[in-house]
Amino acid sequence: MKVTLKSWLLLALISCICFICTGCWSSIEVNDRTFITGVYVDKGNKPGEVELTLTAPLPNRLVPGSLQGGGTGERSYAALSKTGKTIPFAIQRIQSDLTRKLSWGHTRVIVISRDYAQSGITPLLEWITRQPTFHIKTYILISPGKAKETVKLTPVFERAPSEVLREFANQKTILGATVRDFLLAHYADQGTAVSFLTMGTMPMVSEQGKKSEWAGTDGAAIFRDDQMVGKIAPEKARMLSWVIKQIKSPTFVFQSPVDHGKISVEFERIDANILPKLRGKQIVYNIELLGDASIVSADTKESITKPHQWHQLENILKKKLAKNLKKALVETQRLRADVLRLGNRLEWWYPNRWKQVKDNWPDVYQKQVFFEIEPKIYIKHSGLEGDSLWKFK
Amino acid sequence: MGFLKNWLSSKKRTKQLNEIAAQQNLTATLEENRSFLATIFKGCSDVVFHDFTIFGQISAVLIYIEGLVDKEKLDQNVLTPLLNKTGEPFSINTVSGVIPVSNIKELNYIEEIIDEISNGHPILLLDHQKKGISLGLTQLEHRAIEEPPAESVIRGPREGFTELLTINTSLLRRRIKSPQLKVKNIVVGRYTRTKIGVYYIEGIAEKSLIKEVMRRLDKIYMDGILGSGYIEELIEDQSNSLFPQILSTERPDVVVSYLLEGHVTILCDGNPVALVVPITLFSFLQSSEDYAQKFMIGSLIRWLRYISVAIVLLLPSTYVALLTYHQEMIPTSLLLTIAKSREQIPFPALFEALLMEITFEALREAGVRLPQQLGTAISIVGALVIGQAATAAGLVSSPMVMVVAITGVASFLLPHYPIGITLRILRFPIMFLAGMLGLLGIILGIIAIVIHLCSLRSFGVPYLTPIVPMVKQDLKDVLYRSPIWARNKRPHSTSKQNPIRQSPGQKPEAENEEELHSD
């Protein structure tokens, strides 16, 4: 091929277009940015206003090799707070006080106060979906009081409070509902279950015995579309996270059949299958709970190693799990929030039926949906011993 | 018009003495021949004219260049018998009969005589004879056969080519004992008269390829050829390309392996570097060492090389692009570490990368050119520049030092110097593109390189064979190093007419295991 003048001109033109039109002139060096790791949303003091708090790590205070801030006891992260009529307005007010440009690419957790959640989080989601760099994998959590208070949480094992919360979700100790879940729920008028945080103070050895803020989880907040409509207890929330496979090696305690000794089992593998069936007007969901457990402690004088006793234990456990899950589902029906997004399964298996019911799905979910729960639980190990060593004393 | 052009161009060339003498015959008088050659070699004090009388009857002259001739043998084998024997009947046959020298040629033309003298062959001219006798008593000072430092191996022959074409030819002939190994010699360079050898195996190499190589070599007409680099640049398909289209090597075993696959090799007198054509990009990423180890190890090392090509070309630019445009793609904890180390750095990432890469290239070039005694000094300075000191000075961040160091290590993995230098140069434009357009720029750069590579050919063979165009059977030497027993066919692109290399089913099997154990 001959390289002619024309082709050179064409190449020059194409490169010009690339330089001008791609919008990539927005190069910003790392040290001109601040990376927001956590967003905390509260209702403002005036009605209709929103209070936004952002946390960002301070790289200049991070000491490589050590997790906590500098030797002087300085915190290696900053929290900035401003109120505004809308979220972008609040952000703009924060930005105007800053020397560095806010960057949303590393936001991993959003904490929403209960008040704000109850009034609906539509403005927040609307803003997030428009940000090109915002990961929709970002976790959403609900705080009982002001979300801003969560910032005070003492990060003992991690570098910053937002990292603590993110790790909670990563380790699947809580229901890791993400922005994506909310968007999916929004499109089909379904619901989302979100972990509900609880804050408290307790003396911590690592902080020289000072009373420090500590966060834990307390059940789940139930959202219908993007509005918080209720809250369920931890035990039920745990069963919901089982069904959406958002839980890792949960431990359950139940009582032995005769002397009511406490037996604890830990699940090594959990799974769930959901299959909808149509039964006249009713939509019946068959939920199979699958799991392999091992006994981690059996504080009972009974023998538990014979096959029929073993199966007896399995049955007790099955009943307990089924009961808790049933309670949780009934609760969500009462709140008309399809947090397991069962509507999608209906659409997959019976698209025609879905077309009929999708317009008033919350009502259908409440009235026409029934559940059949089939736990298929196997206790596979008894740990290093069979019957309790203390059994014969 | 055509005539005028020819006349003008012929005017431009200054006529050479040997051109004047080109077709001139020797005359029958010794005095005439001697004086003619004396005028030609006027001012060459190293040319010796030794007059004497043969058998006491006929005057003769021995002409040679001092230093190129084995004088001891000349005295013993030529002068002694010619001076001592007297009374024998004289003829040119008796003269050559009494000289115990194997390499004797009779010459008729002045041009031939000049060539022979210049090549170090003594010439014997006799009175009343229209012929001269050339005696092959050359003694050229040369370097011993050593291991080529640029292509050292752990397991493999340690021999390398030297500067003498005859020795190099013998190195090849020692490895290929078949008469099918053919050598064609041509002489180029008006002043240097450099001898060039073209080697191929008849029956494997394609005739059209040999013809093309000879055609391109014949086209060369210039003052002098100082090395195989000259030839490479004169016979390349695309001289404007950064990519080498001819493989250069100093190892006879590498040349032999290519000859056996139907390639043609060009060796040039006075230079230890052989040229192999045609060649593909992937040949530059193979080393003879691959075949000295087991095929699994060879394959893995080959892949390590492919990865290092990607690193050399793309790592610094990817780092720049991610840091300036795509921070959200870096894991948070890694980004915080980088952000921390970049906190004090006054330069943008692109400038930082350029600074370090250019320094590294400069250091490397300095290390190659400097004598070995100074090499240690350079490495000390290098360790300071690309190391803790650079970070401590606050000019560059430590992740950037790591990036440059990894790139440097990866560039040392490339077995052939020319392709290494090409890739090292190409990473700079890609770095600029990354600094201006981010990942988009890197992709544009890669696309441009791939388009260019697709357009390249080396003596008619597409540069990216066997990937583009796809030749399935040849992929076995690109995607992995195939076991020796599985290489039943020669590469498709160079030996189409004679594809079978070996008989199939040579994989060693323990058929007679029982027999072995019964002993």
Side-chain angles (χ1 to χ4, degrees), chain A residues 115-132:
Chain A
D115 296 349
Y116 190 78
Q118 277 167 344
S119 65
I121 61 168
T122 317
L124 179 69
L125 292 175
E126 161 65 18
W127 170 73
I128 286 172
T129 50
R130 280 184 200 281
Q131 301 304 309

Side-chain angles (χ1 to χ4, degrees), chain A residues 11 75 101 116 162 164 173 189 279 333 352 372:
Chain A
L11 187 69
R75 292 270 187 242
K101 190 149 172 43
Y116 190 78
S162 61
V164 175
T173 47
D189 212 355
R279 204 175 285 162
Q333 278 185 311
N352 291 331
E372 278 174 4

Side-chain angles (χ1 to χ4, degrees), chain A residues 2-163:
Chain A
K2 268 256 158 97
V3 182
T4 55
L5 182 68
K6 207 172 150 190
S7 53
W8 278 114
L9 282 176
L10 193 69
L11 187 69
L13 183 73
I14 291 171
S15 0
C16 279
I17 291 171
C18 284
F19 281 120
I20 299 162
C21 301
T22 46
C24 275
W25 274 119
S26 53
S27 94
I28 294 182
E29 293 290 330
V30 176
N31 35 0
D32 294 329
R33 278 188 191 276
T34 176
F35 299 98
I36 304 302
T37 50
V39 175
Y40 306 81
V41 191
D42 283 306
K43 269 196 164 174
N45 292 330
K46 285 181 210 156
E49 284 207 332
V50 58
E51 183 176 11
L52 198 68
T53 309
L54 305 175
T55 55
L58 301 171
N60 49 359
R61 291 200 192 162
L62 286 173
V63 179
S66 82
L67 292 171
Q68 255 296 343
T72 51
E74 293 168 319
R75 292 270 187 242
S76 59
Y77 53 90
L80 313 149
S81 201
K82 278 279 184 308
T83 45
K85 276 181 206 135
T86 59
I87 289 173
F89 197 68
I91 290 169
Q92 201 204 328
R93 288 189 61 195
I94 294 176
Q95 178 72 75
S96 59
D97 290 354
L98 276 186
T99 53
R100 293 184 175 203
K101 190 149 172 43
L102 299 174
S103 159
W104 305 102
H106 287 269
T107 310
R108 290 293 177 268
V109 73
I110 300 171
V111 179
I112 300 166
S113 75
R114 190 180 186 150
D115 296 349
Y116 190 78
Q118 277 167 344
S119 65
I121 61 168
T122 317
L124 179 69
L125 292 175
E126 161 65 18
W127 170 73
I128 286 172
T129 50
R130 280 184 200 281
Q131 301 304 309
T133 56
F134 211 108
H135 290 225
I136 56 169
K137 265 166 35 188
T138 308
Y139 292 112
I140 291 186
L141 298 167
I142 306 298
S143 78
K146 288 208 97 177
K148 207 176 157 184
E149 300 295 308
T150 326
V151 179
K152 290 185 190 152
L153 167 69
T154 317
V156 181
F157 293 100
E158 305 292 336
R159 288 199 238 193
S162 61
E163 259 177 83

